[in-house]
Amino acid sequence: KNTQTEKLLTRSIQLTQALQKNRLALERSNDELEQFVYTVSHDLKAPMVTSMGFIGIIRKLADQGKYDQAIQKLDKVTSSIERMGQLTSDLLELSRIGRIDVDMKKIDLNILLKQLAQSQQEQLQSAGLQFIVQSRLPVIVGNESRVLQLFENIVSNAIKYVRNPEQAPFLEIGSIIEQDHHLIYCKDNGPGIELAFQQKVFALFYRLDTQPEGTGIGLAIAKKVMRSHGGDIWIESTGGKGTTFWLKFPIVNEQAKEAEYDL
């Protein structure tokens, strides 16, 4: 009876933990849904309103016979529509993460980042950004296309935002092991991110600097990719002293199944 009681207690604890995990996943999905609704009602509406405003101006100019001026305004309409299309595309990409990424396999980050550096070589040179990848990075288990997308977003952000008037800008990627996790650090010597904004940058469409092109979805995608791999992402930074993105990947044995991931 004692053995049976212990088994029932163990099973009860497992079910409680599973329930807690599902509750947290549901809360996270609700938060994402709220952000999505806000985005549709606000961020996607803005370029539409802009387009309609310029279309009204074009009509007035056309009625006045000012066709050359009317044609010049079409560039504004085109720009707004293109931005709305990009926002829609990025939102669709965000919604797919974790739902259809079932192809999990071992990924050698040494190889993946070497390939990424080669593909981004022209952009890195144009930005004057030194890309440093430390040796002996770990082999993780994940969806290769999503992990590549994760690092592409981090490198893209560095290309856009890392500026240093005192020394050559760089992005360095390395790793350490902490208990049962691989911690990958992505460290730059850019302007840094103040503590008050270090959580906000992972929100949909949040941008600290609106000058470079972009939709502000890249870090939201990075956050969701890490969660779908049973990990996390966070920032360590002091204003004016660079930024370090930390990526936390669980160490998984070769027999791990897809069910261990929050897909």
Side-chain angles (χ1 to χ4, degrees):
K1 288 184 178 180
N2 287 339
T3 301
Q4 290 177 345
T5 301
E6 289 177 359
K7 289 182 178 179
L8 288 173
L9 180 59
T10 300
R11 182 57 179 163
S12 177
I13 293 173
Q14 291 174 342
L15 291 173
T16 300
Q17 291 174 341
L19 182 62
Q20 175 72 0
K21 182 179 179 181
N22 289 335
R23 185 183 66 80
L24 292 174
L26 180 59
E27 290 178 355
R28 189 168 67 227
S29 296
N30 288 337
D31 290 341
E32 291 175 355
L33 180 59
E34 288 180 5
Q35 286 188 353
F36 181 82
V37 171
Y38 174 81
T39 298
V40 171
S41 63
H42 183 269
D43 293 271
L44 287 179
K45 186 178 179 181
M48 186 181 301
V49 171
T50 300
S51 297
M52 293 304 297
F54 278 106
I55 288 173
I57 294 174
I58 290 170
R59 284 177 174 173
K60 290 181 180 179
L61 291 172
D63 290 341
Q64 297 171 5
K66 301 177 181 179
Y67 300 112
D68 290 340
Q69 294 182 33
I71 292 174
Q72 291 175 2
K73 299 296 182 183
L74 285 175
D75 290 339
K76 299 291 186 180
V77 177
T78 301
S79 178
S80 294
I81 293 174
E82 287 176 348
R83 174 164 176 76
M84 187 163 57
Q86 187 61 55
L87 291 173
T88 304
S89 177
D90 287 351
L91 274 177
L92 180 60
E93 185 68 18
L94 180 68
S95 71
R96 288 173 173 169
I97 296 173
R99 293 191 299 107
I100 60 176
D101 306 330
V102 296
D103 182 19
M104 310 293 282
K105 64 180 183 179
K106 290 192 290 186
I107 304 169
D108 188 333
L109 292 183
N110 301 281
I111 297 174
L112 183 136
L113 289 174
K114 182 180 180 180
Q115 294 172 345
L116 176 59
Q118 292 173 346
S119 68
Q120 297 286 323
Q121 184 176 6
E122 184 176 340
Q123 293 89 331
L124 290 166
Q125 289 179 347
S126 178
L129 181 70
Q130 185 180 9
F131 188 31
I132 305 167
V133 180
Q134 297 294 342
S135 60
R136 304 179 73 176
L137 294 176
V139 174
I140 64 171
V141 176
N143 180 273
E144 187 171 16
S145 64
R146 291 304 179 193
V147 173
L148 177 60
Q149 183 181 33
L150 166 72
F151 284 104
E152 283 177 340
N153 286 339
I154 290 175
V155 172
S156 176
N157 270 4
I159 290 172
K160 292 177 184 177
Y161 301 114
V162 175
R163 300 289 182 270
N164 192 314
E166 299 179 359
Q167 56 182 304
F170 69 81
L171 173 65
E172 177 186 348
I173 297 181
S175 68
I176 61 174
I177 293 178
E178 184 180 88
Q179 296 179 351
D180 55 350
H181 287 85
H182 292 296
L183 296 183
I184 314 297
Y185 63 83
C186 306
K187 179 181 179 181
D188 67 54
N189 62 339
I193 300 174
E194 296 290 348
L195 181 61
F197 303 107
Q198 290 178 14
Q199 289 297 323
K200 293 181 179 179
V201 296
F202 293 106
L204 279 175
F205 299 99
Y206 189 88
R207 301 175 66 195
L208 287 174
D209 185 352
T210 58
Q211 291 302 317
E213 293 184 1
T215 59
I217 299 181
L219 290 180
I221 287 177
K223 185 81 169 180
K224 194 168 183 181
V225 168
M226 290 308 303
R227 284 179 172 175
S228 73
H229 284 74
D232 199 4
I233 179 173
W234 68 92
I235 291 173
E236 288 182 0
S237 178
T238 301
K241 296 184 179 180
T243 299
T244 300
F245 284 88
W246 286 96
L247 312 176
K248 183 178 182 180
F249 287 97
I251 298 176
V252 183
N253 59 46
E254 294 184 2
Q255 287 74 36
K257 298 179 180 180
E258 294 173 7
E260 291 180 61
Y261 294 89
D262 184 17
L263 294 175

